[in-house]
Amino acid sequence: MVAVDDDLRTRLDAVATVAAGLGPEAADREAEHKLPTEQLSHLLAAGAGALRVPVEYGGSGAPVRVLADVLIDIAAGDSNLAQIFRGHLGLTEILRFADPGPARETLLRSAAGGAFFGPAGAELSTPNLKELATSLRRDGDHYLLSGRKYYTTGSLYADWLNVLVSVDGEFVSAIVPRRSEGVTVIDDWDGFGQRLTASGTAVFESVRVDPDYLLRHRDPLTNDYMEAFYQFVHSATQAGIARAVADDLADLVRGRARSYPLASTPEPAADPQVLQIVGEVRGKAYSARANVLHLAGTLDEFLADPSPARAERALLDSAATQVVNTDLVGAATWQFFNAGSASALKTRLGLDRHWRNARTVSSHNPAVYKAALIGDHAVNGTRPRSFLNSLGDS
């Protein structure tokens, strides 16, 4: 049990109230491509974006274990919003590790006050994240940032952008205001799932960057932790989808009035085979959440006493959680329709979104690579290596 003080409890209750209201209109928002700007605003006003901000900067200083359940709650209501938070939460963690200075002070306090961060890392013009074309060049007392990013999940909603560049053989985060001159964020994400995450294009045309707002990723242990943390957010989103599937399936079966000729009873809500499926789906949702909570505990242990061994454990646990939760949520969203019958296929219900959203989230950091990482460690003793520590690799 994690101890929660009165201030944090008040904030958690406020966030939970908002999260509980996300689900009823989630399918309609997706069908109409209505961006969840209002819902995000309510979550930020309730304090969701300040949960991991240290208390001395006006935040809650909540453990990762507490954040885990909040993310699962949000994802159960609308998985788009949980993923939208990933970049914000990631930069908040980076700032917690950053040296004292204007960026850390200003950005953490702004997050405590409801400001939102968005990411801009990947590029479609390069073969992988190690080879970034986005440039950062000195121009007098400042820098100029130029490039084109994609998969910028949540940046359309952001106040500040975390733009990843490679400078002199190291990764650097250039932090710029979202509305800086030369910044354009485009809602051109066309994936079949997570349709409202705004995971599209961001263009930077000679955007001015304050040198104080360059954050260099030089600490290997922090980099390992960050890789595990980013994966944690995806896994929590998967767990929230699994819970939504379990809840929607119970509601659907409860309301079914027709059954199949081969069924053992004319009432679906009393059919033992249907009930078995409902129970199996709920069991998968339970397991997915338990995996995320275990991973959150591993991350909190690292933060309490950072060490190479705990960083390695965080990477391995995050990989295992991705592998297992990908299977769990995938199976749950498929089983759903075995108990839901043909009535669950109606377009207006939007129940297919759970499978599409789960498959989309699970396509990030594909589980096959995470499984290989675990296997290489188990068989050959190979230490897992995070992306931010990879520039020195051949």
Side-chain angles (χ1 to χ4, degrees):
M1 178 67 70
V2 178
V4 175
D5 63 28
D6 290 343
D7 288 342
L8 177 55
R9 172 51 56 197
T10 298
R11 184 166 276 169
L12 290 173
D13 289 345
V15 173
T17 298
V18 178
L22 297 175
E25 296 181 354
D28 290 340
R29 283 195 297 273
E30 187 202 62
E32 300 167 8
H33 197 79
K34 183 178 180 181
L35 297 175
T37 306
E38 181 181 351
Q39 289 73 24
L40 176 60
S41 177
H42 291 330
L43 286 168
L44 292 172
L51 289 175
R52 286 286 297 153
V53 175
V55 173
E56 60 267 30
Y57 291 93
S60 298
V64 179
R65 170 61 179 77
V66 169
L67 176 64
D69 268 327
V70 171
L71 284 173
I72 293 170
D73 286 350
I74 292 172
D78 188 338
S79 60
N80 289 275
L81 281 158
Q83 188 179 350
I84 285 169
F85 262 99
R86 182 171 178 261
H88 173 88
L89 295 170
L91 181 53
T92 300
E93 294 299 304
I94 291 169
L95 290 166
R96 287 173 59 101
F97 288 105
D99 293 333
R104 189 172 194 264
E105 179 76 20
T106 299
L107 295 173
L108 285 176
R109 290 198 181 280
S110 69
F116 192 68
F117 307 144
E123 299 174 5
L124 296 181
S125 63
T126 57
N128 57 61
L129 269 171
K130 290 185 189 179
E131 302 177 37
L132 299 176
T134 300
S135 65
L136 188 69
R137 65 178 178 85
R138 190 87 192 195
D139 185 38
D141 63 352
H142 59 276
Y143 288 83
L144 294 178
L145 176 72
S146 297
R148 190 179 188 92
K149 298 288 190 176
Y150 196 67
Y151 301 119
T152 61
T153 302
S155 288
L156 190 69
Y157 307 97
D159 301 294
W160 293 85
L161 301 181
N162 174 12
V163 187
L164 189 67
V165 295
S166 174
V167 179
D168 298 329
E170 67 177 356
F171 285 120
V172 178
S173 285
I175 315 300
V176 297
R178 156 76 173 82
R179 289 166 182 79
S180 295
E181 184 177 354
V183 175
T184 304
V185 181
I186 306 167
D187 183 20
D188 58 350
W189 166 244
D190 62 352
F192 64 62
Q194 297 294 89
R195 292 176 174 175
L196 305 181
T197 56
S199 297
T201 300
V203 181
F204 303 89
E205 299 174 286
S206 298
V207 178
R208 184 186 179 101
V209 182
D210 185 330
D212 288 332
Y213 284 72
L214 296 178
L215 305 177
R216 302 181 188 278
H217 301 284
R218 289 174 171 167
D219 182 67
L221 294 185
T222 298
N223 292 343
D224 285 349
Y225 168 83
M226 287 308 308
E227 178 129 332
F229 181 86
Y230 277 122
Q231 185 59 64
F232 153 77
V233 179
H234 279 324
S235 296
T237 304
Q238 290 174 317
I241 293 172
R243 195 179 85 191
V245 169
D247 290 344
D248 281 355
L249 182 56
D251 289 343
L252 188 70
V253 170
R254 194 179 300 115
R256 279 182 58 189
R258 299 176 64 251
S259 189
Y260 288 98
L262 295 176
S264 61
T265 173
E267 299 177 358
D271 186 327
Q273 290 174 293
V274 171
L275 295 178
Q276 178 181 342
I277 294 171
V278 173
E280 289 176 354
V281 169
R282 294 193 80 82
K284 288 178 172 64
Y286 174 91
S287 296
R289 175 178 177 268
N291 292 336
V292 172
L293 297 186
H294 176 84
L295 172 56
T298 300
L299 296 175
D300 280 330
E301 288 175 4
F302 171 86
L303 293 171
D305 184 17
S307 70
R310 290 188 173 189
E312 179 176 291
R313 177 48 51 196
L315 287 172
L316 290 170
D317 283 3
S318 69
T321 303
Q322 163 75 340
V323 171
V324 177
N325 276 15
T326 293
D327 285 345
L328 288 171
V329 70
T333 56
W334 193 260
Q335 280 185 292
F336 180 98
F337 295 96
N338 289 336
S341 80
S343 61
L345 304 178
K346 295 178 180 179
T347 302
R348 65 176 175 78
L349 297 178
L351 294 172
D352 61 308
R353 77 185 188 281
H354 294 315
W355 179 86
R356 290 185 288 100
N357 290 339
R359 182 60 265 175
T360 300
V361 173
S362 300
S363 294
H364 295 282
N365 309 323
V368 62
Y369 296 117
K370 298 293 186 176
L373 178 152
I374 297 167
D376 195 17
H377 178 269
V379 174
N380 302 309
T382 304
R383 188 186 185 283
R385 187 168 176 81
S386 62
F387 157 69
L388 287 173
N389 287 329
S390 67
L391 272 189
D393 295 347
S394 57

